[in-house]
Amino acid sequence: MKLRLYPKLAFLGIQKNKRLYIPYILTCSGMIMMYYIISFLIETPILDYMRGRSTIAMTLTLGCYVMGIFAVLFLFYTHSFLIRRRKKEFGLYNILGMGKKNIGFVLFWESVMVTGISLFIGLLAGITCSKLAELGLVNTLHAEVVYTLSLSTASIRNTILLFSCISALIFFHTLWQIHLTNPVELLHSENSGEKPPKGNWLFGIASILLLGFAYYIAVSIQSPIEALLWFFVAVVMVIIGTYLLFISGSVLLCRSLQKNKNYYYKARHFISTSSMTWRMKRNGAGLASICILGTMVLVMITGSACLYFGTEDSLHARYPYDFNNRIGFQTLTEYSDSYISEMKDGISKLLEDSGTVAENLSDYRMATLTGFLKEDTVLIDNNTVESAYQNSEPYDSLRQVCFVPLSDYNKLTGTETLLAKGEILLCPVLCDYAYSSFTVSGLGNFRIAGTAENFFKDEVWTENVMPSLIVILPDFIETLQPLAAPKDNDENPLVHYSWYYNFNTSLSSSAQIELYGQLRDVLYNKHGIDSKDTVRFSSCNSLAANREDFYSSYGSLFFLGIMLSTVFLFATVLIIYYKQISEGYEDQTRFEIMQNVGMTKTEIRQSINSQMRTVFFLPLVTAVLHLAFAFPMIQKLLMIFQIDHPKLLLVIAAVSVLIFAIFYTLIYRITSNAYYSIVSGAKENE
């Protein structure tokens, strides 16, 4: 056989099956475009002009990995729809004398052509839209626009390499499928039905258990850290449970419809229900894939949008003051008023030189330790804590205990509370405490004289997600003295001593950033860890200076969420399209027979609408149900970013569902018309 015949046959095969290949090529091109754009944004010189560029680059790099992995899985999945339609053609070639080796050459040239066209269109579109995407990223991050056009050869090379490898893997996988199938099976592969999977009740029970447990995790978890730990476990259970639910549930649905004589024995229901019953395994898997992709879109865009639109709330929660300063001391004996006064004088001098004074001042000392709460006792010795870790002690029992001097508490709250020796005020944070006494191993027992106000709004509390107990002590130094010497297994003190000095100013943002640099120099260099001083560490944070970093982090996540959601929407559209097209060709013969015995075009349309309404909107409803149960977990995860705004999250989730539902309905209309045009043999003239 002449070698030039193979490219000709490959071209004719693509042309003949353009209804299948054009959407596939466009989707490949779209993924190539998206991958190039994300890769380009990692390399773009504009990042050099942005604060937080390392965070942006890291986020976009993660997006590249997600895109690459998803492209492999999705293109393999959608190519299976395409190749199923072509197997009959390959079987005919085989029967007419063309060996499987020759078919392999045809497939090779088809793969080369499809890959070449996809790379050309995708890279051209990616390069064309890269500047637009760059401007979108800059505006999302509230950065300055730089009007320069650049081209990333590294991104082009990586994109070509990745999608060429994916194409090669798909080609070899197709060859293997052809090799394992005999010519007769290839010829009749399109008409081979699928029996409903056996043991559906087992799949059904497993799906209910998996989804029920995942839903229970989502709604029952109270701690943000636990939500983070269990999130991916819940995601895996939801994915597996959804597939099992649609595979088994769709079969049970069809069987129940068949048993309902008033429903089943009607022209508009009979054919659609019968055809669905015999392909429910593949049909259920396709519907489950649509549902999972829809859920991913809703969860991703809801979470990332809430992060972005809640940036200011998160920023002010993380840094409640214009300047948030924390000084850590090495030992209790060095925790002296004279040394703290010296640092206050240095800060006051800086403020005076800047023409401002400290406003809304928050000035207090705090000593913190961590242990496990057993009833009314906190266990903090090394052996107990280590044993608790080894025995997988419940995370719920872990507590951070924070001791604050009574004098500092009165100064902050403007009260004149008095406490006797052995008495304390207690304030639980993110937890409950129902006992009348409080014991810390190594310190002794204390009587709770009352409940302290949760007066702290400093960053130490807004960023804290661990359940804590604030203890107000009348004799601070004397009480903590027994724990001054003990250390943990890493030779670090059991108790950490800190001084917090936070304040606002009347300065502009630019002046605050300038003062922030001077303040850091004083705290880090003069009193910092390298100053051979008594300070163990120092921390200085400015709200104005960190604003760009916040927008860099949350904005890049939102931008990536939009990009990946767009890709997942592409995937959803293509799966729905191929599902309708492949089922349309399978049902074409059945509907032709029914037309020959008197079934009208109107009845065909009614039957198609019955089938669509029966199964098509199940993925949408289930995706919304998944999002509803995931709502509490998403809310807990957002609390890690100091965003506790349920109304904002609810509004964004509702808008996301509405937009996705409209988009999904449009897909339904378009693909149902495509299905109708195939099974009826002509387009409907309405």
Side-chain angles (χ1 to χ4, degrees):
M1 186 176 291
K2 295 182 179 180
L3 292 178
R4 63 184 181 183
L5 180 62
Y6 296 126
K8 184 177 180 181
L9 288 175
F11 178 77
L12 291 175
I14 295 173
Q15 187 180 40
K16 179 183 176 182
N17 296 278
K18 60 184 179 181
R19 189 194 290 267
L20 299 173
Y21 273 100
I22 290 177
Y24 181 74
I25 291 173
L26 290 177
T27 303
C28 289
S29 302
M31 287 200 166
I32 290 168
M33 177 188 73
M34 289 294 188
Y35 184 86
Y36 170 79
I37 288 174
I38 297 175
S39 180
F40 164 80
L41 291 175
I42 299 173
E43 305 290 337
T44 180
I46 201 171
L47 290 184
D48 297 335
Y49 301 95
M50 294 184 183
R51 285 177 58 89
R53 54 184 175 271
S54 58
T55 303
I56 302 170
M58 182 177 65
T59 304
L60 294 175
T61 300
L62 176 63
C64 268
Y65 284 120
V66 173
M67 269 292 302
I69 294 171
F70 181 76
V72 173
L73 298 176
F74 178 68
L75 292 181
F76 261 90
Y77 180 81
T78 53
H79 192 265
S80 65
F81 284 99
L82 187 149
I83 207 64
R84 180 180 174 84
R85 176 64 183 163
R86 299 294 311 282
K87 283 183 178 180
K88 181 178 179 180
E89 180 183 339
F90 297 146
L92 183 61
Y93 284 161
N94 208 183
I95 289 175
L96 293 177
M98 183 181 289
K100 291 184 178 179
K101 180 179 179 181
N102 304 115
I103 295 175
F105 282 120
V106 174
L107 288 172
F108 170 77
W109 282 104
E110 283 188 9
S111 180
V112 170
M113 291 178 183
V114 170
T115 304
I117 294 171
S118 300
L119 283 171
F120 176 77
I121 297 174
L123 287 174
L124 182 62
I127 293 170
T128 304
C129 298
S130 60
K131 185 60 183 180
L132 181 63
E134 186 181 84
L135 293 175
L137 177 63
V138 169
N139 288 326
T140 301
L141 303 182
H142 293 193
E144 294 184 6
V145 178
V146 179
Y147 295 99
T148 57
L149 185 63
S150 57
L151 186 69
S152 174
T153 55
S155 299
I156 294 175
R157 182 186 67 247
N158 293 337
T159 304
I160 293 175
L161 181 62
L162 173 64
F163 285 90
S164 296
C165 290
I166 294 174
S167 179
L169 290 173
I170 292 174
F171 166 68
F172 287 118
H173 180 258
T174 306
L175 281 185
W176 182 250
Q177 285 184 305
I178 300 296
H179 173 73
L180 295 178
T181 312
N182 63 52
V184 177
E185 290 176 343
L186 287 172
L187 193 62
H188 296 285
S189 61
E190 184 183 339
N191 298 321
S192 59
E194 290 192 44
K195 295 182 179 180
K198 296 181 180 180
N200 291 314
W201 61 275
L202 291 175
F203 286 172
I205 293 175
S207 67
I208 293 173
L209 290 176
L210 285 170
L211 290 176
F213 189 56
Y215 289 166
Y216 173 76
I217 290 174
V219 300
S220 63
I221 284 179
Q222 300 299 320
S223 167
I225 293 297
E226 282 187 297
L228 182 62
L229 294 174
W230 282 97
F231 178 75
F232 293 103
V233 176
V235 167
V236 172
M237 287 193 293
V238 166
I239 291 174
I240 298 174
T242 301
Y243 274 98
L244 293 178
L245 177 67
F246 274 91
I247 290 173
S248 61
S250 54
V251 173
L252 293 174
L253 175 64
C254 289
R255 286 178 176 174
S256 64
L257 292 176
Q258 286 180 318
K259 292 178 180 179
N260 187 342
K261 296 181 180 180
N262 293 329
Y263 177 90
Y264 184 55
Y265 293 106
K266 291 183 179 179
R268 64 178 180 270
H269 298 153
F270 182 82
I271 297 177
S272 60
T273 305
S274 299
S275 63
M276 285 191 297
T277 302
W278 291 98
R279 56 163 179 260
M280 266 304 148
K281 184 177 181 180
R282 189 175 71 253
N283 192 51
L287 292 174
S289 299
I290 295 169
C291 176
I292 293 300
L293 285 171
T295 306
M296 291 170 66
V297 170
L298 291 174
V299 171
M300 183 176 299
I301 201 67
T302 298
S304 60
C306 193
L307 270 178
Y308 179 70
F309 292 111
T311 300
E312 282 296 324
D313 290 342
S314 177
L315 179 66
H316 284 275
R318 178 66 176 82
Y319 304 111
Y321 296 88
D322 291 344
F323 293 91
N324 305 267
N325 308 302
R326 178 188 179 191
I327 309 300
F329 294 88
Q330 296 181 20
T331 65
L332 183 61
T333 55
E334 296 166 340
Y335 202 19
S336 64
D337 290 336
S338 60
Y339 190 77
I340 291 176
S341 297
E342 181 184 342
M343 286 189 285
K344 283 183 184 179
D345 292 340
I347 295 172
S348 298
K349 181 65 167 58
L350 283 178
L351 294 174
E352 184 180 347
D353 293 342
S354 301
T356 187
V357 295
E359 302 172 358
N360 193 22
L361 186 63
S362 174
D363 175 9
Y364 64 93
R365 292 162 292 170
M366 178 183 291
T368 60
L369 57 84
T370 303
F372 286 91
L373 183 65
K374 295 285 189 178
E375 296 181 349
D376 65 344
T377 303
V378 176
L379 306 174
I380 61 171
D381 60 281
N382 291 340
N383 294 331
T384 302
V385 173
E386 185 175 350
S387 174
Y389 276 115
Q390 292 174 351
N391 296 325
S392 300
E393 192 77 20
Y395 175 83
D396 287 345
S397 64
L398 190 64
R399 293 291 182 273
Q400 179 178 257
V401 184
C402 308
F403 299 97
V404 177
L406 178 61
S407 57
D408 291 356
Y409 171 79
N410 285 333
K411 182 172 56 177
L412 282 171
T413 59
T415 59
E416 297 181 357
T417 304
L418 298 176
L419 293 173
K421 185 177 179 62
E423 289 185 336
I424 62 171
L425 298 179
L426 188 70
C427 175
V429 178
L430 301 177
C431 64
D432 297 319
Y433 190 86
Y435 300 96
S436 59
S437 62
F438 180 69
T439 303
V440 178
S441 59
L443 289 184
N445 179 265
F446 304 91
R447 188 179 73 82
I448 300 177
T451 302
E453 297 180 38
N454 186 4
F455 56 90
F456 297 106
K457 66 173 184 176
D458 309 74
E459 60 173 295
V460 66
W461 297 112
T462 55
E463 70 178 342
N464 186 42
V465 293
M466 181 185 296
S468 303
L469 297 169
I470 304 174
V471 179
I472 309 301
L473 293 171
D475 42 3
F476 184 72
I477 300 295
E478 181 183 348
T479 301
L480 294 178
Q481 194 64 47
L483 295 181
K487 296 184 178 181
D488 61 19
N489 294 330
D490 296 323
E491 293 301 314
N492 293 317
L494 285 178
V495 183
H496 302 283
Y497 310 100
S498 302
W499 168 58
Y500 294 88
Y501 194 69
N502 311 311
F503 53 87
N504 293 329
T505 68
S506 57
L507 298 174
S508 64
S509 293
S510 57
Q512 287 182 33
I513 294 175
E514 183 179 353
L515 176 60
Y516 167 64
Q518 298 171 352
L519 196 57
R520 280 172 57 91
D521 183 64
V522 169
L523 294 179
Y524 284 1
N525 297 332
K526 185 177 180 181
H527 299 292
I529 196 169
D530 297 327
S531 64
K532 298 180 181 180
D533 219 327
T534 59
V535 171
R536 182 166 58 89
F537 68 89
S538 59
S539 166
C540 175
N541 286 295
S542 163
L543 185 146
N546 282 283
R547 177 172 273 107
E548 289 186 17
D549 289 334
F550 267 62
Y551 276 100
S552 296
S553 300
Y554 296 171
S556 58
L557 285 172
F558 181 48
F559 183 82
L560 183 60
I562 294 174
M563 298 288 285
L564 293 180
S565 296
T566 303
V567 172
F568 294 153
L569 283 175
F570 283 162
T572 304
V573 172
L574 193 64
I575 289 178
I576 294 173
Y577 178 81
Y578 274 134
K579 177 180 177 297
Q580 300 295 74
I581 293 298
S582 61
E583 291 179 4
Y585 282 119
E586 291 174 5
D587 294 342
Q588 189 176 37
T589 304
R590 300 184 185 96
F591 278 99
E592 286 178 356
I593 294 173
M594 297 306 294
Q595 286 184 83
N596 291 334
V597 297
M599 191 174 190
T600 65
K601 292 285 185 71
T602 301
E603 290 172 330
I604 291 175
R605 169 61 79 179
Q606 290 176 346
S607 177
I608 292 170
N609 287 336
S610 171
Q611 176 177 332
M612 297 295 180
R613 285 194 295 266
T614 301
V615 297
F616 200 84
F617 285 98
L618 286 177
L620 175 61
V621 174
T622 309
V624 174
L625 183 65
H626 288 344
L627 177 64
F629 276 97
F631 188 90
M633 181 171 278
I634 297 173
Q635 185 181 352
K636 296 297 185 301
L637 292 174
L638 289 173
M639 288 175 64
I640 297 177
F641 299 91
Q642 291 84 49
I643 296 178
D644 189 11
H645 205 321
K647 290 184 179 179
L648 174 64
L649 180 61
L650 183 61
V651 169
I652 292 175
V655 172
S656 300
V657 169
L658 179 62
I659 294 174
F660 185 76
I662 294 172
F663 186 80
Y664 192 89
T665 304
L666 291 175
I667 299 172
Y668 158 71
R669 295 295 303 171
I670 295 170
T671 56
S672 62
N673 287 332
Y675 179 91
Y676 175 81
S677 68
I678 294 173
V679 299
S680 65
K683 293 184 177 179
E684 182 183 26
N685 296 318
E686 296 184 355

